[in-house]
Amino acid sequence: MTETSIPAVICTVDVVLLTLQRDVLQVALQRRERPPFAGVLALPGGYIHAQEDADAQASAARVLREKAGLQSPYLEQLATFSGPVRDPRGWSLAVAYCALVPPELLASAPLTLVPVAELPALPFDHRAMVDAAVARVRSKSQYSSMPVHLCAEPFTLPQLQSVYEAVLGEPINKVSFRRKMDELAMLEPVPGALQGGGAHRPAQLYRVRPAYRRNLSLSARGL
């Protein structure tokens, strides 16, 4: 077989875009406009543009800008999915990414939010991508700042604790949680910003330190 006769490999990126709505972890899906599987809900994705994209992460960021109107959310490479049968068009390779955004940023996006526990049938191997992303997020939430990217700024510590609990699916001791936030050192108080607490003392509002808006803070031990 000559080099010119070798079939081209289809190369794409797919993004598992996760958010929280009503304390339930949701994935954002979009109806495919073209075959195969036209009209079917799927993960946002697209071809890698070799002349435009610096790398696969740049491809994923571009896909989210073009298809969801999102500018640079938290993105983490998840895994590579490949083989001759995952795409009816031929041998294909997809680099999957996980993105986390607060629900407020998706209000006007042309996306359908579905609880991760209630997924419809998805094309290609998108179900495996979602399962891998959810497992990754729940695991890393034990020892990192990952859930903070699901929380719109500014926020109180109780609000952030609720986000962690929703992701992990279990309650967290308040003292342990605050100790963990101190260890991660990812937050800074918003000067002079308090949230009224009704009969309770007003709560301090926080935001993510600039160094951790695109990166994670890690801890040696879990929650």
Side-chain angles (χ1 to χ4, degrees):
M1 182 178 289
T2 65
E3 189 169 324
T4 56
S5 68
I6 298 174
V9 173
I10 300 167
C11 195
T12 62
V13 292
D14 292 298
V15 184
V16 183
L17 181 57
L18 297 175
T19 192
L20 275 179
Q21 198 171 62
R22 296 181 295 277
D23 293 329
V24 175
L25 196 60
Q26 315 250 347
V27 64
L29 304 175
Q30 197 168 49
R31 293 200 180 276
R32 288 180 54 82
E33 296 180 351
R34 300 181 182 88
F37 308 111
V40 174
L41 286 172
L43 295 174
Y47 291 108
I48 289 175
H49 293 180
Q51 304 304 315
E52 176 185 351
D53 302 331
D55 51 28
Q57 181 136 337
S59 297
R62 175 181 51 77
V63 163
L64 287 178
R65 286 196 306 272
E66 295 175 353
K67 297 196 172 184
L70 291 176
Q71 295 293 330
S72 300
Y74 175 79
L75 267 175
E76 179 176 307
Q77 190 175 121
L78 184 63
T80 298
F81 295 77
S82 61
V85 298
R86 61 175 302 274
D87 189 319
R89 293 170 292 187
W91 211 104
S92 67
L93 178 151
V95 184
Y97 280 81
C98 179
L100 303 179
V101 293
E104 291 81 357
L105 294 185
L106 298 177
S108 59
L111 300 166
T112 299
L113 297 183
V114 178
V116 297
E118 301 173 15
L119 289 177
L122 298 178
F124 309 109
D125 41 17
H126 286 189
R127 175 60 184 263
M129 293 181 185
V130 175
D131 290 345
V134 171
R136 169 81 62 85
V137 169
R138 285 179 172 156
S139 174
K140 294 187 80 166
S141 294
Q142 291 279 353
Y143 60 88
S144 80
S145 60
M146 183 170 270
V148 78
H149 298 288
L150 296 167
C151 201
E153 295 183 352
F155 48 79
T156 65
L157 286 178
Q159 288 170 338
L160 182 58
Q161 181 172 340
S162 294
V163 169
Y164 267 81
E165 290 174 337
V167 171
L168 294 172
E170 59 186 20
I172 303 171
N173 177 270
K174 178 180 176 180
V175 174
S176 297
F177 177 77
R178 301 209 172 196
R179 185 185 303 120
K180 178 59 63 179
M181 293 305 101
D182 289 340
E183 290 176 6
L184 291 171
M186 63 177 175
L187 304 179
E188 61 183 13
V190 180
L194 300 174
Q195 183 182 78
H200 302 285
R201 185 174 63 182
Q204 174 68 51
L205 290 168
Y206 291 85
R207 62 192 174 203
V208 180
R209 295 182 187 276
Y212 300 115
R213 289 174 186 165
R214 295 290 177 269
N215 301 291
L216 295 183
S217 175
L218 304 175
S219 174
R221 61 184 183 85
L223 281 164

